[in-house]
Amino acid sequence: MTARFQSIAPGARLADQVADALAAEVRSGRLSEGDRLPTESALAEQFGVSRTVVREAVSRLKSLGLLDSRQGSGVYVRAAGVEPLRFEMPHVASREAVIQMVELRRALEAEVAALAAERRTADDVQRIRDAIDALHAAVAAGGNGAEEDVRFHRAIAEAARNPFLVGTLQYLRQFLHGATRVTRANEARRADFAREVAQEHARIVEAIEAGDALRAREAAKSHMDNAIRRIEQADPAFWQQEGAQLARPLVEGWPLGS
């Protein structure tokens, strides 16, 4: 490879900048399949960063399938393919990261609920009701019900009878579950929030059981809209303590599919 890279400007995470610069070369074709990258030392010199920064950037691009190491030979550009889906939000606050994930849930959950209303069987309805009962029991026992909430929405997704939607939700599970843990922890701090959530869940279940797709879609969308509102109304102390800790996986932007 003959291309030389510009030194990295201080400010944002250096490894992010190095990874982005290398990835841009690969995606543009200036670095093509089979090309060998300069040595770690050479890249560090070109970018004006430490070898540790280069190592971190290369490791990320390996996890994305753009680069590959060959024992005793070096690091090479891999064949073009579909990159694993990822969400990189290293510079957004915990609160904004959670809101963005709930916005994603809103798009998915509204359609899932509508399809579940159209396609549910009696057994599906029973599983959904069992899941909501388990959620209520968990809350009554003093928990926040995060895992039970996830299972409740999973039961609705299975009733939608669309394996691609179910697969997408499963693929995104660590982010969606992470956002759910944050919203449930916030809602558990206030009795009015907890009551609202229970009522919203009941409306979703009733619409699905009634076979009313339009009402189910609206109920699910409203539930996510209200989840965002409750996050926006969270006590600032929540984000300084529990909220920030629970949202860390979203803020750090773990790669999916690795």
Side-chain angles (χ1 to χ4, degrees):
M1 187 192 77
T2 59
R4 287 190 58 84
F5 296 96
Q6 298 295 319
S7 295
I8 294 299
R13 286 187 61 198
L14 298 178
D16 292 345
Q17 295 186 66
V18 172
D20 289 344
L22 290 171
E25 292 294 306
V26 174
R27 295 186 181 112
S28 69
R30 289 187 293 272
L31 274 175
S32 56
E33 176 186 351
D35 284 347
R36 184 167 67 87
L37 262 62
T39 65
E40 193 176 273
S41 297
L43 285 173
E45 181 180 355
Q46 290 185 37
F47 282 114
V49 298
S50 69
R51 292 177 62 177
T52 300
V53 168
V54 171
R55 196 174 304 125
E56 182 180 345
V58 169
S59 177
R60 173 190 296 183
L61 296 184
K62 288 179 185 177
S63 72
L64 294 175
L66 294 179
L67 301 177
D68 191 25
S69 290
R70 300 179 189 174
Q71 187 66 34
S73 179
V75 177
Y76 291 80
V77 177
R78 291 188 61 180
V82 178
E83 293 181 29
L85 183 62
R86 62 174 180 163
F87 293 90
E88 291 187 288
M89 297 177 284
H91 311 302
V92 298
S94 301
R95 176 178 174 275
E96 293 307 310
V98 174
I99 288 174
Q100 288 164 5
M101 289 309 302
V102 177
E103 288 172 345
L104 174 60
R105 282 192 67 192
R106 179 173 59 194
L108 293 171
E109 300 283 2
E111 187 61 25
V112 163
L115 291 174
E118 292 175 351
R119 301 171 179 175
R120 84 283 181 271
T121 65
D123 287 343
D124 291 327
V125 172
Q126 187 59 54
R127 280 190 291 270
I128 292 169
R129 288 206 168 274
D130 288 345
I132 204 70
D133 288 344
L135 174 54
H136 292 162
V139 173
N144 64 30
E147 295 307 314
E148 292 78 11
D149 190 297
V150 168
R151 287 195 285 272
F152 165 64
H153 286 283
R154 172 69 186 222
I156 295 174
E158 290 172 348
R161 298 285 189 279
N162 184 320
F164 292 101
L165 275 174
V166 172
T168 298
L169 291 169
Q170 180 69 8
Y171 190 63
L172 297 172
R173 66 190 181 279
Q174 72 181 37
F175 286 96
L176 299 179
H177 290 195
T180 299
R181 284 191 288 271
V182 177
T183 57
R184 293 295 307 190
N186 175 53
E187 290 154 0
R189 293 163 67 96
R190 287 180 49 170
D192 57 335
F193 281 178
R195 284 194 299 272
E196 286 178 3
V197 174
Q199 292 166 359
E200 291 160 16
H201 281 165
R203 284 192 285 271
I204 295 171
V205 175
E206 290 166 3
I208 291 173
E209 188 168 12
D212 190 333
L214 290 177
R215 184 153 59 96
R217 179 183 284 112
E218 183 54 37
K221 177 182 179 300
S222 178
H223 177 43
M224 294 300 149
D225 287 340
N226 288 329
I228 292 173
R229 172 182 55 78
R230 288 186 286 266
I231 283 295
E232 292 173 339
Q233 294 175 353
D235 184 340
F238 174 70
W239 293 114
Q240 297 169 7
Q241 302 167 11
E242 186 178 14
Q245 181 179 358
L246 290 171
R248 187 173 299 134
L250 304 181
V251 176
E252 292 177 350
W254 291 353
L256 297 175
S258 58

